[in-house]
Amino acid sequence: MPDKFDVAANYGIDVFDDEEMRTHLPKKVYEALMDTIHNGKELDASLADDVAHGMKDWAISKGATHYTHWFQPMSGVTAEKHDAFISKPDEHGKVIMAFSGKELIKGEPDASSFPSGGLRATFEARGYTAWDCTSPAFVIHDEDGGVLYIPTAFCSYTGEALDDKTPLLRSMDYLSEQAVRALRIFGDSTTKRVLPAAGPEQEYFLIDTEHFAARKDLIYTGRTLFGAPAPKGQELEDHYFGPIREKIAAFMAEVDETLWKLGVPAKTRHNEVAPSQHELAVVYSTSNVAADQNALVMLVLKKLAKKHGFICLLAEKPFAGINGSGKHNNWSLATDTGVNLFNPGKNPRENTQFLVFLAAVVKAIDEYAGLLRESVATYTNDFRLGANEAPPAILSVFIGDELEDVVERIINTDAPARATGNHLLVTGAKTLPTLPKDSTDRNRTSPFAFTGNRFEFRMVGSQQNIAEPNTVVNTIVGHALKDFADTVERSEDATKAINEWIATTLKEHQRIIFNGDGYSDAWVKEAAKRGLPNLKTTVEATDVLSTDKVKELFLESKVLTSTELASRAQIKYTNYANLVTIDAKTMIHMVDKQYLPAGNKYLDKLAKEIEHCHDASIPTPKSTIKKAGDISTLLDKISDTKDELVKTAEGAKGISGRELAVYCRDKILPLLSALREPVDALELLVAKEDWPVPSYGDLLFHVN
């Protein structure tokens, strides 16, 4: 039996954290670095050599032989290039382990092969990575040694952001500046920075490696493009929070231990709603650190899954007909003195500062609902949003009954107060304790829900980098707080101006507040009456980036330049078209190479059975004759639809950008559904031993 893992003793042992920096850096260097990390001051480049030397010595002591500038290009995955800690050999052929301040602060990866949306031409290769000292470096171990990972930002030779982290850091600065202005109005003279925090809940599926290898759709796209429903799905709801199987538990335990060593505060693990679906949640961190940590979570999940005989699927909708995977992004604001700005206190009606920040969020979500939808817009997330396990594509804000009552009474001073009810939960069983309960229930159908002292943004996709949605939330809330500060600062009566701003803001944007069932058809109709946007696919969501309103927002906040904004739209259109095209090619391949041959082979088997009965003067079973006829009809439909898909896909040649994305959405995507339908029907008719790929039952219920 292996030794029990000591969490306290091993937590963060692979991180160059405060304790290690204090040990390995000269005192003045350490203090200057802490000033940068905690107060946002610019790092003195002259100190970089000392930091690099200390970091290198620590990394080598942890078994590292290489270092990498770890960054987040706009490809949806992290990037890394490993360089060894060695210098040029001397005249005796000897090398020393070296790492300079210049190597720490700046790297130079090839920028031409990463998505840039037209920011960089193919022949313009130079790009720079810049050290993000506010996110700690760490060492990742493998069988051959270790690598020092240095979190960095990534920009072009001309200074444009080519990554997701740079805009996130800019948005944090902007939000902090505006939030501090708001706090100064309330007499807070001590807060220097306001830090947005995030705590993502990562959902994922685990399937057997052998089953994965037998499915080309999983290999090429990360999700199934075909598959008839299994006899059992999630109807019994017996997987949710159910007992964790031994092999899965062993995997989860190693994931936790690995993450804890890397300083990632993995907190919660459990079975999710769908068969073979699970969740891992971490404790809050500041937005940029949370983005790095979530990228690490995804990296560790995929790496260790293979070690345990699994494949980890992070796609938002890997299986039709059952729940997909999201990444609920819990978002909050706190001062550098530790005050949670979304804590309503015992009497929210009298907590004016809280009401300002609440109103700012309501205003931000209403004014920029389309932009917030765009921040989670991906081809694969489109299949999840609006399904009955995910929030709809319509943005709304849930604030709960108590706060809704507060809002009503602010807007309409004559409105009677609602009964607050008993905040104790009495179960009725004498042996069970009386429990304190929250002031309101939770709403799992809300895209943006207040949950007591934070907001939960539930639209984020499971394989998405959380940097983009957090950048948008930070920016739009910062913009709303700027409006508040501008209004009050130019007024003669601050108290009056504050109260009027709260009331006016809540009244003007009350339409975005919705505490009901976000899954219902009635809400779709009601949202339309309220004038709320319903952007169902990534294409129309991406169009929001080209509006004057969004351009002005990002230019004013200096979070994105006009060229950076245009590049991101171009990348989204291109990615959308590429993913639809890959799906189409994969489906054509599987139909030609697997499904049509299997169907024809089985049909031939039935024909021989019918012929044998005829020759032997034995009545042929009606079921056999009917099945042969049904299969023949389906094979014709599959072949015809596949041919139409091939022809339609060829029609995309010569177009690009948004035009291509629209063509893929309107012309190719419907044919993917049309092709899947007869193939799934065929699967239900062909014998199990003659079907060429593992079924949904195999994939979802045969994880050992």
Side-chain angles (χ1 to χ4, degrees):
M1 183 176 180
D3 294 335
K4 185 177 180 181
F5 185 82
D6 189 331
V7 180
N10 289 282
Y11 188 85
I13 63 171
D14 290 332
V15 183
F16 194 56
D17 57 14
D18 182 85
E19 181 180 350
E20 296 297 344
M21 286 189 281
R22 191 187 298 270
T23 300
H24 289 85
L25 301 181
K27 183 178 180 181
K28 289 185 177 180
V29 174
Y30 167 79
E31 291 175 348
L33 185 56
M34 290 300 103
D35 200 23
T36 296
I37 293 173
H38 296 306
N39 299 321
K41 293 187 178 180
E42 187 172 347
L43 179 67
D44 185 350
S46 66
L47 305 177
D49 280 333
D50 287 326
V51 176
H53 179 75
M55 189 184 291
K56 179 260 299 180
D57 286 349
W58 169 81
I60 291 174
S61 74
K62 302 296 297 182
T65 57
H66 292 70
Y67 69 92
T68 180
H69 276 199
W70 186 57
F71 58 102
Q72 301 169 18
M74 294 181 288
S75 59
V77 295
T78 56
E80 57 193 68
K81 179 185 71 170
H82 299 180
D83 289 298
F85 286 120
I86 61 171
S87 63
K88 181 180 179 180
D90 61 21
E91 64 272 19
H92 304 294
K94 301 294 184 180
V95 298
I96 61 172
M97 304 296 273
F99 184 48
S100 69
K102 181 180 179 181
E103 290 171 315
L104 167 63
I105 289 177
K106 187 183 79 172
E108 191 180 325
D110 182 349
S112 65
S113 297
F114 291 107
S116 72
L119 283 175
R120 305 292 287 159
T122 302
F123 65 87
E124 295 174 315
R126 194 182 297 276
Y128 295 121
T129 49
W131 175 38
D132 174 17
C133 65
T134 62
S135 185
F138 52 91
V139 171
I140 288 185
H141 302 276
D142 56 33
E143 296 178 356
D144 299 321
V147 177
L148 171 66
Y149 281 67
I150 304 167
T152 59
F154 181 45
C155 64
S156 72
Y157 179 74
T158 48
E160 295 97 345
L162 295 175
D163 66 343
D164 291 315
K165 170 170 276 194
T166 301
L168 177 60
L169 293 171
R170 294 172 183 168
S171 74
M172 292 171 65
D173 290 340
Y174 175 69
L175 174 57
S176 178
E177 178 186 350
Q178 305 308 326
V180 169
R181 287 180 65 198
L183 292 176
R184 293 288 184 266
I185 291 171
F186 287 98
D188 181 345
S189 59
T190 58
T191 296
K192 296 179 181 178
R193 298 182 72 198
V194 170
L195 301 170
E201 305 168 16
Q202 180 70 56
E203 295 177 341
Y204 61 95
F205 282 83
L206 292 176
I207 63 172
D208 281 336
T209 303
E210 291 183 5
H211 288 151
F212 173 84
R215 299 255 342 190
K216 295 298 182 182
D217 46 3
L218 287 173
I219 292 172
Y220 294 140
T221 74
R223 62 193 188 93
T224 58
L225 303 178
F226 299 100
K232 177 188 176 185
Q234 59 191 50
E235 302 90 342
L236 299 179
E237 299 178 338
D238 54 341
H239 190 256
Y240 191 52
F241 279 26
I244 301 172
R245 285 170 285 184
E246 186 174 348
K247 189 175 179 181
I248 302 292
F251 160 74
M252 289 181 169
E254 187 168 2
V255 167
D256 279 346
E257 292 172 9
T258 302
L259 291 174
W260 289 334
K261 289 179 181 179
L262 291 168
V264 179
K267 176 73 172 177
T268 304
R269 64 191 189 196
H270 61 83
N271 290 343
E272 255 298 335
V273 174
S276 294
Q277 187 186 32
H278 313 278
E279 181 178 296
L280 186 157
V282 300
V283 179
Y284 279 83
S285 299
T286 55
S287 291
N288 65 313
V289 175
D292 287 350
Q293 289 183 342
N294 184 247
L296 262 179
V297 166
M298 293 189 285
L299 188 74
V300 169
L301 284 173
K302 289 190 285 188
K303 181 178 180 180
L304 292 183
K306 293 180 180 179
K307 179 180 176 181
H308 286 259
F310 304 127
I311 294 295
C312 176
L313 301 180
L314 294 176
E316 284 78 11
K317 195 73 173 178
F319 303 100
I322 65 170
N323 279 16
S325 296
K327 182 149 49 189
H328 301 171
N329 187 92
N330 295 281
W331 180 85
S332 67
L333 290 178
T335 68
D336 53 7
T337 58
V339 176
N340 185 334
L341 297 176
F342 289 129
N343 186 351
K346 293 183 179 180
N347 190 352
R349 181 70 176 87
E350 304 299 325
N351 190 342
T352 308
Q353 180 176 291
F354 164 75
L355 291 175
V356 165
F357 281 88
L358 174 67
V361 171
V362 171
K363 173 182 173 67
I365 305 304
D366 186 30
E367 289 187 340
Y368 294 98
L371 178 61
L372 201 56
R373 166 68 178 95
E374 181 280 329
S375 76
V376 297
T378 66
Y379 170 61
T380 50
N381 205 23
D382 286 350
F383 292 106
R384 167 181 164 264
L385 293 178
N388 62 3
E389 84 279 358
I394 305 168
L395 260 298
S396 63
V397 179
F398 167 84
I399 60 174
D401 294 337
E402 182 178 27
L403 287 184
E404 188 174 39
D405 177 48
V406 170
V407 169
E408 288 281 359
R409 292 168 64 197
I410 290 174
I411 295 173
N412 179 9
T413 56
D414 295 330
R418 300 180 189 176
T420 57
N422 186 2
H423 289 281
L424 294 177
L425 180 64
V426 180
T427 64
K430 293 181 180 179
T431 57
L432 295 178
T434 298
L435 302 174
K437 65 178 181 179
D438 294 319
S439 59
T440 188
D441 202 352
R442 300 183 76 181
N443 187 329
R444 305 303 292 177
T445 72
S446 174
F448 208 91
F450 184 71
T451 55
N453 59 6
R454 65 187 186 275
F455 287 89
E456 185 179 24
F457 187 21
R458 302 183 65 245
M459 297 175 77
V460 184
S462 52
Q463 63 183 339
Q464 184 177 3
N465 187 326
I466 66 169
E468 182 182 357
N470 279 285
T471 295
V472 169
V473 174
N474 294 344
T475 304
I476 62 178
V477 173
H479 186 68
L481 290 171
K482 180 181 184 299
D483 178 69
F484 165 76
D486 288 346
T487 301
V488 177
E489 287 173 356
R490 63 173 174 255
S491 69
E492 295 181 359
D493 186 336
T495 301
K496 180 181 178 182
I498 291 170
N499 291 329
E500 287 181 349
W501 186 89
I502 293 172
T504 300
T505 299
L506 291 174
K507 183 176 182 179
E508 290 179 352
H509 302 287
Q510 190 178 14
R511 66 174 185 168
I512 200 71
I513 298 174
F514 179 65
N515 288 347
D517 183 2
Y519 293 166
S520 69
D521 292 336
W523 167 235
V524 176
K525 296 177 182 178
E526 172 63 23
K529 289 181 182 179
R530 296 187 186 191
L532 300 179
N534 185 5
L535 307 177
K536 296 182 179 180
T537 74
T538 292
V539 178
E540 55 259 49
T542 303
D543 291 343
V544 172
L545 295 179
S546 302
T547 61
D548 290 339
K549 183 179 179 179
V550 168
K551 291 178 182 178
E552 291 169 4
L553 168 74
F554 283 117
L555 289 176
E556 182 275 324
S557 63
K558 298 181 180 179
V559 171
L560 288 170
T561 67
S562 57
T563 53
E564 288 170 341
L565 193 59
S567 74
R568 279 155 173 75
Q570 186 63 35
I571 288 170
K572 285 217 168 185
Y573 291 135
T574 301
N575 282 347
Y576 185 90
N578 284 340
L579 289 170
V580 174
T581 302
I582 291 170
D583 277 6
K585 290 180 178 178
T586 301
M587 294 181 81
I588 292 168
H589 173 86
M590 294 180 74
V591 165
D592 281 340
K593 302 296 184 181
Q594 294 179 305
Y595 295 130
L596 285 178
N600 283 314
K601 182 178 179 181
Y602 190 67
L603 184 61
D604 184 60
K605 183 185 292 187
L606 293 178
K608 290 180 179 178
E609 181 180 332
I610 293 171
E611 183 180 357
H612 171 73
C613 291
H614 181 269
D615 291 345
S617 298
I618 302 173
T620 304
K622 292 181 180 180
S623 60
T624 303
I625 297 174
K626 183 178 185 306
K627 180 181 285 189
D630 290 344
I631 289 176
S632 180
T633 300
L634 286 172
L635 289 173
D636 287 342
K637 186 175 182 180
I638 291 169
S639 181
D640 291 344
T641 308
K642 186 266 299 182
D643 289 343
E644 185 180 358
L645 176 58
V646 170
K647 182 180 179 180
T648 304
E650 290 176 350
K653 294 179 179 178
I655 58 177
S656 61
R658 184 183 184 278
E659 184 183 359
L660 178 58
V662 170
Y663 183 88
C664 288
R665 180 195 64 189
D666 296 344
K667 302 297 184 181
I668 297 178
L669 193 57
L671 287 174
L672 302 187
S673 298
L675 182 56
R676 174 172 187 155
E677 182 182 352
V679 173
D680 289 356
L682 181 66
E683 179 182 352
L684 297 175
L685 295 177
V686 174
K688 170 70 175 176
E689 62 271 16
D690 293 310
W691 194 245
V693 299
S695 67
Y696 267 23
D698 297 327
L699 294 169
L700 293 169
F701 293 98
H702 288 191
V703 177
N704 296 320

